[in-house]
């Protein structure tokens, strides 16, 4: 009998279309139509209902994660959640779900792991006499203001620890949920202890809905930038990642963010580590099949891969020096576009300096100062 594959369909409200097998599984399964099932998909059928989100509480063993990468502006990070319901198809953190024996596809955005003790762990680690204050970023891997934060308030707990210890930190998010904590962030910003960066990949609402299905709409993120700026909080915009032939309005995003109050900006190129490569190809096949091959070829161009690397299926260079911004002609063109737009708008003229000298370890142990 001739094998017939079940057509790939987008899942409403989700970035991934399948529970893509992770790299540690021994057996892989592929859906086929054997003619006996009623689940045969006809053209024009409604897409399947989105899987229900489940939250798993985890007792974490540590809070802070250090990095020595020269292309990242912070040395320490803390992430209260694993997985992210925003469902951004390009998220470089998706392959980390493989270590949990879960799919980097649908599981990453429907099986959320919440580190319920993260605030106390951070308080303990910052209270150690050996701790040296360095810039800490909240939400470097997955968004710290994803929907579950409304109930669990783990990110708010982390901010309260930072406040109590006068430790500088930054936040990266694409959620309007950060506005909930303005009462905490405003006074800290006045003391040069915090800054916020809002990610806006495109102003195209249709594209954003396909690419980042459960994140705030682009216009809502601009409102968040304006709200933060009006509260006196240093705010920047991240136009990351840049995806060739998909996100083509970088200059317009930078201008809109600047008009909303952003004073700084940064970008990265699309990176496709591990399972993210086939997952992103699935997404292209679903939404932009006519340009899929062109997109992937340009991704290879941006990382200046040689013919042998291309033939082996490699899609990007993972070394610390080039993975974020790429190398070669096409990467240089993106770099020049970004620099020219920032120069025209006045972005990045003044660096946001956070004050490391105010840190007081004693506050972690509920010890106040003598004076």
């Amino acid at each position: 009998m001739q094998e017939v594959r079940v057509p790939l369909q987008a899942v409403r409200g989700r970035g991934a279309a399948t529970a893509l097998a992770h790299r540690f599984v021994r057996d892989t399964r592929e859906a086929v139509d054997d003619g006996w099932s009623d689940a045969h998909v006809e053209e024009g059928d409604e897409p399947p209902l989105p899987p229900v989100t489940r939250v798993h509480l985890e007792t974490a063993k540590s809070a802070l994660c250090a990095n020595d990468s020269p292309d990242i502006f912070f040395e320490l990070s803390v992430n209260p959640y694993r997985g992210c319901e925003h469902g951004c198809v390009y998220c470089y953190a998706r392959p980390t779900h493989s270590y949990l024996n879960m799919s980097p596809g649908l599981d990453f955005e429907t099986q959320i792991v919440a580190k319920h003790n993260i605030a106390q762990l951070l308080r303990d680690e910052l209270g150690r006499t050996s701790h040296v204050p360095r810039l800490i970023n909240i939400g470097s891997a997955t968004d710290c203001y994803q929907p579950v934060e409304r109930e669990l308030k783990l990110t708010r707990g982390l901010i309260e620890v930072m406040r109590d210890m006068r430790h500088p930190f930054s936040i990266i998010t694409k959620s309007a949920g950060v506005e909930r904590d303005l009462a905490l962030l405003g006074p800290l910003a006045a003391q040069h202890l915090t800054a916020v960066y809002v990610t806006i990949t495109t102003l195209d609402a249709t594209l954003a809905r396909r690419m980042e299905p459960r994140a705030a709409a682009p216009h809502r993120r601009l409102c968040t930038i304006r709200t933060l700026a009006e509260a006196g909080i240093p705010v920047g915009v991240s136009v990351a990642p840049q995806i060739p032939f998909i996100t083509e309005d970088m200059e317009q995003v930078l201008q809109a963010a600047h008009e909303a109050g952003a004073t700084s900006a940064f970008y990265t190129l699309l990176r496709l580590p591990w399972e993210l490569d086939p997952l992103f190809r699935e997404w292209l096949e679903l939404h932009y099949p006519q340009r899929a091959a062109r997109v992937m070829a340009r991704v290879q161009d941006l990382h200046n891969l040689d013919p042998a690397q291309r033939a082996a299926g490699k899609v990007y260079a993972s070394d610390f020096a080039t993975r974020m911004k790429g190398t070669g002609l096409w990467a240089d063109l993106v770099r020049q576009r970004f620099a020219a737009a920032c120069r025209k708008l006045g972005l990045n003229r003044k660096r946001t300096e956070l004050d490391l000298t105010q840190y007081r370890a004693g506050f972690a142990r509920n010890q106040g100062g003598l004076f």
Side-chain angles (χ1 to χ4, degrees):
M1 183 176 67
Q2 183 180 5
E3 182 181 274
V4 179
R5 293 187 179 184
V6 175
L8 189 64
Q9 275 198 311
V11 179
R12 188 173 60 201
R14 300 297 182 185
T18 64
L20 184 79
H22 62 76
R23 60 188 180 277
F24 301 119
V25 297
R26 294 183 178 180
D27 302 319
T28 59
R29 294 173 173 82
E30 185 173 326
V32 296
D33 181 10
D34 59 5
W36 288 97
S37 172
D38 293 331
H40 182 70
V41 180
E42 298 289 347
E43 186 175 354
D45 281 357
E46 288 293 322
L49 293 175
V52 176
T53 301
R54 299 186 184 278
V55 179
H56 309 272
L57 297 183
E58 175 187 67
T59 301
K61 296 181 179 179
S62 62
L64 291 173
C65 179
N67 81 82
D68 57 0
S69 176
D71 51 14
I72 298 178
F73 68 87
F74 52 86
E75 297 178 71
L76 296 171
S77 63
V78 56
N79 292 282
Y81 303 103
R82 300 190 193 193
C84 183
E85 197 175 356
H86 286 165
C88 303
V89 69
Y90 52 73
C91 182
Y92 58 82
R94 281 183 177 271
T96 62
H97 244 45
S98 300
Y99 298 115
L100 303 176
N101 199 30
M102 295 183 185
S103 166
L106 286 173
D107 283 351
F108 178 81
E109 48 194 289
T110 60
Q111 305 293 324
I112 309 301
V113 177
K115 306 173 186 177
H116 68 90
N117 62 331
I118 193 71
Q120 185 57 51
L121 280 175
L122 181 64
R123 189 178 296 275
D124 294 343
E125 292 179 21
L126 294 186
R128 294 171 183 167
T129 55
S130 60
H131 177 72
V132 178
R134 291 172 287 175
L135 178 61
I136 295 175
N137 179 262
I138 302 178
S140 60
T142 57
D143 204 306
C144 58
Y145 282 103
Q146 56 182 288
V148 69
E149 170 64 16
R150 297 169 190 159
E151 290 79 37
L152 298 185
K153 300 181 180 178
L154 300 183
T155 299
R156 185 178 183 86
L158 294 175
I159 295 174
E160 290 171 343
V161 171
M162 302 285 195
R163 175 202 61 191
D164 294 345
M165 304 185 67
R166 299 179 187 174
H167 198 295
F169 66 97
S170 61
I171 294 173
I172 299 177
T173 184
K174 53 171 63 79
S175 172
V178 67
E179 297 176 16
R180 179 202 64 187
D181 294 329
L182 282 179
L184 289 172
L185 297 172
L188 291 172
Q191 300 172 54
H192 305 287
L193 290 175
T194 192
V196 177
Y197 299 88
V198 178
T199 299
I200 305 178
T201 47
T202 180
L203 297 180
D204 184 336
T206 301
L207 171 58
R209 191 161 50 248
R210 293 171 179 167
M211 192 166 57
E212 310 155 336
R214 298 204 175 194
H219 74 274
R220 185 64 183 87
R221 292 181 231 177
L222 289 172
C223 291
T224 296
I225 290 178
R226 180 171 288 105
T227 300
L228 292 168
E230 290 175 350
I233 300 169
V235 57
V237 61
S238 163
V239 287
Q242 288 297 300
I243 306 174
F245 308 118
I246 300 295
T247 58
E248 292 290 271
D249 57 347
M250 178 174 64
E251 289 85 355
Q252 290 77 15
V253 172
L254 290 171
Q255 181 173 348
H258 170 68
E259 292 172 355
T263 58
S264 61
F266 69 90
Y267 81 96
T268 63
L269 297 177
L270 174 69
R271 295 188 288 139
L272 298 174
W274 299 106
E275 297 92 339
L276 192 53
D277 178 13
L279 188 75
F280 186 74
R281 291 177 190 265
E282 276 187 0
W283 182 83
L284 285 175
E285 180 185 337
L286 273 172
H287 299 288
Y288 300 98
Q290 299 87 353
R291 67 181 88 165
R294 190 181 180 199
V295 170
M296 296 308 299
R298 183 55 53 84
V299 168
Q300 292 176 316
D301 290 338
L302 287 168
H303 294 279
N304 204 26
L305 300 180
D306 59 42
Q309 291 173 316
R310 290 170 181 259
K314 191 172 183 180
V315 290
Y316 93 109
S318 59
D319 60 284
F320 280 175
T322 63
R323 60 178 181 168
M324 296 291 194
K325 301 295 177 63
T327 56
L329 172 63
W330 293 107
D332 288 341
L333 288 175
V334 176
R335 189 178 296 110
Q336 290 169 20
R337 284 177 56 197
F338 177 80
C342 289
R343 187 166 53 249
K344 176 182 176 181
L345 297 169
L347 292 168
N348 294 332
R349 285 184 180 174
K350 184 178 180 181
R351 184 173 179 177
T352 301
E353 295 286 352
L354 300 183
D355 189 358
L356 296 168
T357 65
Q358 298 183 48
Y359 164 68
R360 297 292 183 269
F363 290 137
R365 300 182 290 271
N366 295 319
Q367 299 173 1
L370 292 177
F371 305 100

